[in-house]
Amino acid sequence: MRRSTLHRYLKRALIGLPILWIMYSISEIFMRNENDLSLQNHLEKDPGNLKNSFEAKELKVNLNVQQVDDKKVNLDVQVPVQEKIVVHGAVKGNSQQLDKLSALGGTLVEKKSPDAYNGVELPVFNNQLDANGPGEGGQAVAVNVKNLSEDEKTKFNRGWTDNSFNQYVSDMISVYRKLPDGQGPVCQSKAELFKTRQQEVSVIIIFHNEAWSVLLRSVHSILGRTPEHLLKEIILVDDFSTKEHLKAPLEKYFNEYPKVQIVRATKRQGLTRARLLGYYISTAPIVVFLDSHIECFPGWAEPLSYRITEEPTVVAFPSIEVINDETFATVANPNVNQNGIFRWKDLTFQWQSVPDFESARRKGEADPIRSPTMPGGLFAIGRELFERLGTYDPGLDYWGGENIELSFKAWMCGGSVELIPCSHIGHIFRRTNPIKWNSNIGSKNSIRVAEVWMDEYKNYFYERILYALGDYGDVSERKELRQRLSCHTFQWYLKNVYPNLEIPSRMKYAGEIRSFASPRCVDSMGGPNDNQPAPKMYPCHGQGYNQFWYMTETGHIMQDEWKICVSANNGVVSSVSCEQSSPIWRYREDKTLEHIPTGQCLTSGVNDDNITLTSCSDSKWQKWELQLRRTDITFPE
């Protein structure tokens, strides 16, 4: 072959390669279902530059590439379109996974032919891509209820009753609504770095009677804002919902989404066990657990995957942003300065400002923030670490305690818990939970956690609940797990992970302050944290919590970080610090509580729940019963 001929063939081949590549790329986009958010991503970027028309089995595309060497290029191609993107009748997961799922009380919904859902109606919802639509960009949507018809008012009120958030407003907002990039400049500068170390993620969402538009928006925010190569699957676990829209309509909606699978619990499992149903059918090396009323901000997944790939022993959680329960307004805060802790009173998750020692350890605002505990609703963990740590305690019922258990054992058994400030996910924080369960479940779960992981420090929690342990089940297997993993002591955890926790080690009295005159106790009513400036009298419930008080050897009556103080006008108030630096209360032999600076006594209201200071007398309304701290058990310092 002559050299000129060879050169001509090579030149033609090289010219054709870009066209073949463009044809391949376009076919990858349009072979997906037209409602898939992979397509939505392209439309959101520039809806005017992608025009598609379906003709039989062929797609004609006019692609305008606006800036290629400062020239506008038009390229017309015809790409064959695959009619179906889902293998109908196929069930994801191998037989071992399905057997495990069945044994745990779950079933996997198979993909079906679209004909199987003929006659199934979807609820009315907003699926428009409208940049000026309600709530776009995380903007608030306000509704004047007075202007609604009686039928619409009924719908408005029912939404609140069913969900404890404004479903009426949610239904007005598109399930595809855009959110702005919540990352600050430093996080944005690390975007390319985050791409260098990544593993696929399986996202597991548990729901029970969730609102249709909220659940769909949660899923679409993941589909639309997670790189295609990073998202292995989304597994929706239905924890035995009773709402009709979550049955056949939900299956029909996601039937054509190959990355979305639905698992159904065959009985009510509760959050913890329902998560395990999803976990055992998942396949990615990183598992992300999310609530069903969330919205992921752009760039949420890459920092989480990067950190766990970089350090597999990390349990990572995002910066959790508030989605207003009334207006659905949300915005990401790029200046993250908080981490998670727990309180002795109930072992539940709380936020705190990042302490100075942690701020000093970090080199920049994009660095992970070490956190003593993590919230339970949104986090990511490597599959190998989750397995090594024994997944969840199967004895934890329904909801509560699982995040504290995972936090303790991660730190104590060779791992860590970190807030990843470059990852942002919005969450609807409901004022009350519409899902009801036995009120003692949270306490039972926390007792299991304390019994296994807290050593003798558990006594600080037990006295806060007045030692009402009840039947918390067998924890021997969890203790064996801890021993097998050669985990650190809880003292090590407090010293190295949560050194700023105040340990109430030297207390003279610990328990209720109970009135002799009536079956009522001094109750903080939640204290200053719940905007309650003064303690009140409330019927004694025998559970501790807000009715549990310490009295120190130096005369301070306290609960958590606040004390019972006396204001300038002699009012009894709750405050972080009292004006008097000397001991201010004395529990006298006649059962009165004397306020030393004024010489007056704590007095219960006769006809109301107020607590006042009055002149000391022999009145029964000034008599109180306090409990000495137990001396038969250890309270380590």
Side-chain angles (χ1 to χ4, degrees):
M1 183 181 294
R2 293 178 59 186
R3 182 177 179 182
S4 59
T5 304
L6 178 59
H7 179 268
R8 187 167 58 255
Y9 286 150
L10 287 173
K11 183 177 180 181
R12 289 175 179 176
L14 290 173
I15 292 173
L17 281 175
I19 296 175
L20 291 173
W21 175 249
I22 292 172
M23 292 174 64
Y24 168 78
S25 299
I26 294 172
S27 68
E28 281 292 297
I29 294 171
F30 288 99
M31 282 169 61
R32 307 180 202 282
N33 181 276
E34 62 179 320
N35 290 324
D36 195 308
L37 281 210
S38 296
L39 174 57
Q40 182 205 342
N41 282 342
H42 293 272
L43 291 174
E44 285 182 346
K45 291 175 182 177
D46 195 347
N49 280 350
L50 279 178
K51 300 177 181 179
N52 57 306
S53 60
F54 290 88
E55 300 177 0
K57 295 184 180 180
E58 191 171 67
L59 175 66
K60 185 175 182 179
V61 180
N62 176 263
L63 181 64
N64 296 324
V65 185
Q66 292 185 331
Q67 290 185 341
V68 179
D69 296 331
D70 297 323
K71 296 179 180 180
K72 184 173 181 179
V73 179
N74 292 326
L75 177 66
D76 292 297
V77 296
Q78 288 187 332
V79 183
V81 177
Q82 181 179 327
E83 281 189 300
K84 307 298 180 187
I85 59 170
V86 179
V87 180
H88 299 295
V91 176
K92 173 187 167 294
N94 59 43
S95 59
Q96 187 176 7
Q97 284 179 301
L98 296 175
D99 289 344
K100 179 89 171 179
L101 181 65
S102 178
L104 290 172
T107 60
L108 181 64
V109 176
E110 68 177 29
K111 299 293 185 179
K112 300 176 182 178
S113 166
D115 294 341
Y117 293 106
N118 287 342
V120 175
E121 297 292 331
L122 301 183
V124 176
F125 66 104
N126 183 348
N127 64 349
Q128 301 301 306
L129 286 172
D130 182 358
N132 298 313
E136 285 298 317
Q139 295 298 308
V141 177
V143 172
N144 190 337
V145 183
K146 295 179 181 179
N147 295 335
L148 299 179
S149 67
E150 290 304 314
D151 287 345
E152 292 300 294
K153 286 180 182 177
T154 299
K155 183 192 295 185
F156 180 93
N157 293 329
R158 188 189 310 122
W160 274 104
T161 301
D162 289 348
N163 305 285
S164 294
F165 57 67
N166 196 340
Q167 181 188 341
Y168 190 92
V169 161
S170 175
D171 292 347
M172 295 171 62
I173 300 171
S174 173
V175 296
Y176 300 129
R177 83 155 165 182
K178 295 179 183 177
L179 292 179
D181 188 344
Q183 296 180 341
V186 176
C187 288
Q188 291 175 352
S189 69
K190 292 182 176 292
E192 292 304 316
L193 173 65
F194 293 147
K195 296 177 182 179
T196 61
R197 294 183 180 179
Q198 291 183 348
Q199 297 179 84
E200 286 183 306
V201 300
S202 294
V203 179
I204 298 172
I205 294 177
I206 314 302
F207 66 91
H208 175 78
N209 287 344
E210 188 62 87
W212 174 265
S213 59
V214 167
L215 180 58
L216 263 58
R217 193 176 300 111
S218 299
V219 175
H220 282 302
S221 76
I222 301 167
L223 288 171
R225 297 172 192 139
T226 311
E228 182 77 12
H229 70 278
L230 202 56
L231 181 63
K232 182 68 176 292
E233 60 208 349
I234 300 174
I235 300 173
L236 303 178
V237 182
D238 172 21
D239 189 18
F240 212 58
S241 295
T242 58
K243 300 290 187 182
E244 285 301 319
H245 66 263
L246 297 173
K247 297 179 182 179
L250 188 70
E251 294 179 14
K252 176 180 180 178
Y253 186 88
F254 285 116
N255 191 53
E256 300 296 329
Y257 287 79
K259 289 197 173 187
V260 180
Q261 302 290 332
I262 299 174
V263 171
R264 297 202 184 274
T266 56
K267 63 178 182 179
R268 189 68 195 281
Q269 297 280 4
L271 176 68
T272 307
R273 294 186 188 127
R275 280 181 172 172
L276 291 177
L277 296 181
Y279 171 72
Y280 286 121
I281 205 68
S282 66
T283 57
I286 295 176
V287 182
V288 179
F289 293 100
L290 298 179
D291 282 347
S292 56
H293 33 270
I294 60 95
E295 288 181 66
C296 295
F297 281 79
W300 75 276
E302 295 92 319
L304 292 175
S305 178
Y306 172 83
R307 182 56 181 149
I308 292 177
T309 303
E310 178 186 46
E311 181 47 72
T313 62
V314 166
V315 182
F317 66 95
S319 176
I320 303 175
E321 315 299 348
V322 175
I323 301 175
N324 186 278
D325 61 348
E326 185 171 356
T327 67
F328 276 68
T330 186
V331 62
N333 175 20
N335 302 312
V336 182
N337 188 38
Q338 59 186 359
N339 63 1
I341 55 172
F342 75 90
R343 298 294 189 195
W344 295 113
K345 67 177 181 180
D346 53 12
L347 294 192
T348 57
F349 174 87
Q350 307 284 334
W351 292 107
Q352 71 167 1
S353 296
V354 174
D356 292 341
F357 64 84
E358 176 60 14
S359 296
R361 185 196 65 83
R362 300 172 66 217
K363 295 184 175 71
E365 62 186 57
D367 287 356
I369 301 171
R370 291 181 179 176
S371 184
T373 65
M374 66 176 193
L378 302 83
F379 71 96
I381 187 170
R383 178 178 298 275
E384 290 185 7
L385 177 62
F386 197 43
E387 287 286 349
R388 187 173 72 84
L389 294 177
T391 65
Y392 282 126
D393 175 1
L396 299 178
D397 289 335
Y398 290 95
W399 177 88
E402 81 289 341
N403 58 316
I404 303 299
E405 186 221 18
L406 188 54
S407 299
F408 286 169
K409 65 185 179 182
W411 277 113
M412 294 167 63
C413 306
S416 62
V417 177
E418 295 178 351
L419 187 160
I420 309 302
C422 293
S423 175
H424 298 265
I425 299 180
H427 180 271
I428 303 173
F429 290 92
R430 299 182 287 201
R431 302 169 207 184
T432 59
N433 196 328
I435 302 173
K436 306 301 180 184
W437 58 82
N438 188 311
S439 60
N440 293 325
I441 284 175
S443 178
K444 174 206 166 184
N445 289 349
S446 294
I447 292 167
R448 288 183 66 87
V449 174
E451 194 65 24
V452 174
W453 297 100
M454 295 181 69
D455 304 329
E456 289 181 322
Y457 288 91
K458 67 187 178 183
N459 293 328
Y460 290 111
F461 168 56
Y462 290 168
E463 73 173 356
R464 290 299 299 263
I465 60 174
L466 304 182
Y467 304 98
L469 304 188
D471 180 12
Y472 55 82
D474 183 9
V475 295
S476 58
E477 288 188 4
R478 305 310 285 181
K479 289 184 175 181
E480 290 173 4
L481 170 69
R482 177 180 173 180
Q483 185 176 14
R484 187 168 64 251
L485 294 176
S486 301
C487 301
H488 290 292
T489 65
F490 197 72
Q491 184 180 42
W492 176 93
Y493 168 86
L494 293 178
K495 180 180 179 180
N496 293 277
V497 180
Y498 193 4
N500 56 316
L501 175 64
E502 186 173 335
I503 300 175
S505 57
R506 298 186 180 183
M507 300 294 166
K508 186 173 183 179
Y509 297 95
E512 297 171 324
I513 302 178
R514 182 182 288 261
S515 172
F516 273 85
S518 66
R520 296 183 299 165
C521 290
V522 178
D523 194 306
S524 70
M525 311 303 290
N529 288 352
D530 286 342
N531 297 316
Q532 297 293 333
K536 300 287 186 180
M537 297 302 299
Y538 195 82
C540 300
H541 49 57
Q543 298 176 6
Y545 300 114
N546 290 342
Q547 294 182 0
F548 180 93
W549 299 93
Y550 292 116
M551 186 169 180
T552 68
E553 295 174 352
T554 55
H556 290 88
I557 299 175
M558 56 191 297
Q559 183 183 108
D560 299 321
E561 65 270 23
W562 57 82
K563 302 177 177 68
I564 295 181
C565 304
V566 176
S567 65
N569 60 357
N570 274 7
V572 178
V573 298
S574 300
S575 179
V576 174
S577 61
C578 300
E579 294 180 4
Q580 299 83 2
S581 59
S582 60
I584 55 174
W585 297 99
R586 178 168 58 202
Y587 187 44
R588 306 194 304 189
E589 290 185 5
D590 63 356
K591 304 297 183 182
T592 58
L593 273 169
E594 179 192 8
H595 181 244
I596 295 175
T598 63
Q600 295 184 310
C601 288
L602 196 70
T603 305
S604 169
V606 178
N607 299 315
D608 56 38
D609 58 3
N610 292 323
I611 302 172
T612 58
L613 277 184
T614 61
S615 297
C616 296
S617 68
D618 197 37
S619 169
K620 65 179 180 179
W621 301 100
Q622 292 184 351
K623 305 292 185 181
W624 306 96
E625 180 182 355
L626 276 65
Q627 292 85 42
L628 288 166
R629 170 172 266 179
R630 287 176 58 172
T631 57
D632 59 323
I633 56 178
T634 301
F635 292 92
E637 297 188 15

